[in-house]
Amino acid sequence: DAKTTQPPSMDCAEGRAANLPCNHSTISGNEYVYWYRQIHSQGPQYIIHGLKNNETNEMASLIITEDRKSSTLILPHATLRDTAVYYCIVRGSGTYKYIFGTGTRLKVLA
Amino acid sequence: GAGVSQSPSNKVTEKGKDVELRCDPISGHTALYWYRQRLGQGLEFLIYFQGNSAPDKSGLPSDRFSAERTGESVSTLTIQRTQQEDSAVYLCASSPYLSTDYTFGSGTRLTVV
């Protein structure tokens, strides 16, 4: 699976949009971009995934660049409960293992 | 059940003892995964079960680690002769067949003293 690079930490003011970047410059054509988050003392939680088109669900939006070498997870109105570690993972359609890096620790500030 | 259930939630054991960790997947989920998360680190894949197929054990760090699953039900992860470096949170996840969306349990925090 392709390697991903994320900033180790970010802060965001409550109510503002949180934009979490991820680089995956070695991604191949059949690999999807997944985002999970892990709130303290809990297991990771699925957020969203995409292949090349931008995706939106009730939790977040995923913007993938045209060359697919990077993506951004957007939490449109961050709340204190969004404080967590966010993992960007690239995974092929024929594989089942996720390779988790160390993620981005997002802190939402009141 | 409604989610993936793991027990115990916390386990403190003495170095050299064996421990057994349990995972109850979501009913109907054919795939089950074990991961390990050391303090401040990402998740390390340990083992994967899919139905009655042979498990993928490629992530098990040593022969002290083993896991079993009967059919599509409960799985147990056993660590023999525990060492201090085994201290971590052990996470279990399950998913429907061919689905890429895992549901994780809350994990078992293992402390070896």
Side-chain angles (χ1 to χ4, degrees):
Chain A
D1 288 335
K3 201 171 173 182
T4 61
T5 306
Q6 299 177 253
S9 64
M10 292 180 64
D11 290 342
C12 177
E14 189 179 18
R16 304 296 293 270
N19 298 292
L20 294 108
C22 179
N23 285 323
H24 30 80
S25 58
T26 59
I27 194 170
S28 60
N30 69 344
E31 289 181 317
Y32 287 74
V33 180
Y34 283 79
W35 284 83
Y36 278 75
R37 74 179 181 184
Q38 188 173 23
I39 294 169
H40 183 61
S41 298
Q42 297 181 24
Q45 174 193 25
Y46 167 82
I47 301 173
I48 198 167
H49 75 282
L51 183 63
K52 54 182 178 180
N53 296 324
N54 297 337
E55 301 287 344
T56 295
N57 63 21
E58 65 278 3
M59 288 182 71
S61 295
L62 174 60
I63 308 297
I64 302 173
T65 58
E66 195 168 337
D67 64 8
R68 304 210 319 124
K69 293 183 184 229
S70 65
S71 60
T72 302
L73 179 76
I74 301 172
L75 307 178
H77 306 287
T79 71
L80 298 179
R81 286 175 294 183
D82 292 323
T83 292
V85 178
Y86 287 77
Y87 297 98
C88 168
I89 304 153
V90 170
R91 175 174 146 174
S93 60
T95 63
Y96 46 80
K97 282 187 280 194
Y98 285 113
I99 309 296
F100 285 81
T102 50
T104 295
R105 186 172 297 275
L106 175 69
K107 190 172 181 181
V108 180
L109 307 170
Chain B
V4 176
S5 177
Q6 291 188 246
S7 59
S9 55
N10 280 286
K11 175 75 178 177
V12 180
T13 190
E14 291 180 354
K15 180 180 170 181
K17 294 278 177 74
D18 297 352
V19 294
E20 202 171 87
L21 313 180
R22 177 186 168 107
C23 173
D24 275 280
I26 292 173
S27 178
H29 280 194
T30 59
L32 187 147
Y33 314 78
W34 284 97
Y35 282 79
R36 176 172 73 177
Q37 187 173 31
R38 291 193 165 118
L39 187 64
Q41 304 295 309
L43 281 71
E44 302 170 65
F45 168 79
L46 297 177
I47 189 168
Y48 161 71
F49 295 92
Q50 174 59 271
N52 293 318
S53 303
D56 176 351
K57 305 179 183 180
S58 61
L60 295 179
S62 77
D63 59 9
R64 296 187 295 104
F65 287 71
S66 63
E68 291 186 354
R69 186 186 188 199
T70 305
E72 297 178 2
S73 61
V74 169
S75 174
T76 55
L77 176 70
T78 301
I79 308 172
Q80 295 179 309
R81 305 181 302 282
T82 52
Q83 304 294 313
Q84 287 185 325
E85 65 261 26
D86 299 334
S87 295
V89 175
Y90 290 82
L91 288 156
C92 174
S94 69
S95 71
Y97 181 60
L98 295 182
S99 169
T100 53
D101 303 332
Y102 290 11
T103 301
F104 279 88
S106 295
T108 293
R109 183 176 297 279
L110 176 67
T111 304
V112 182
V113 297

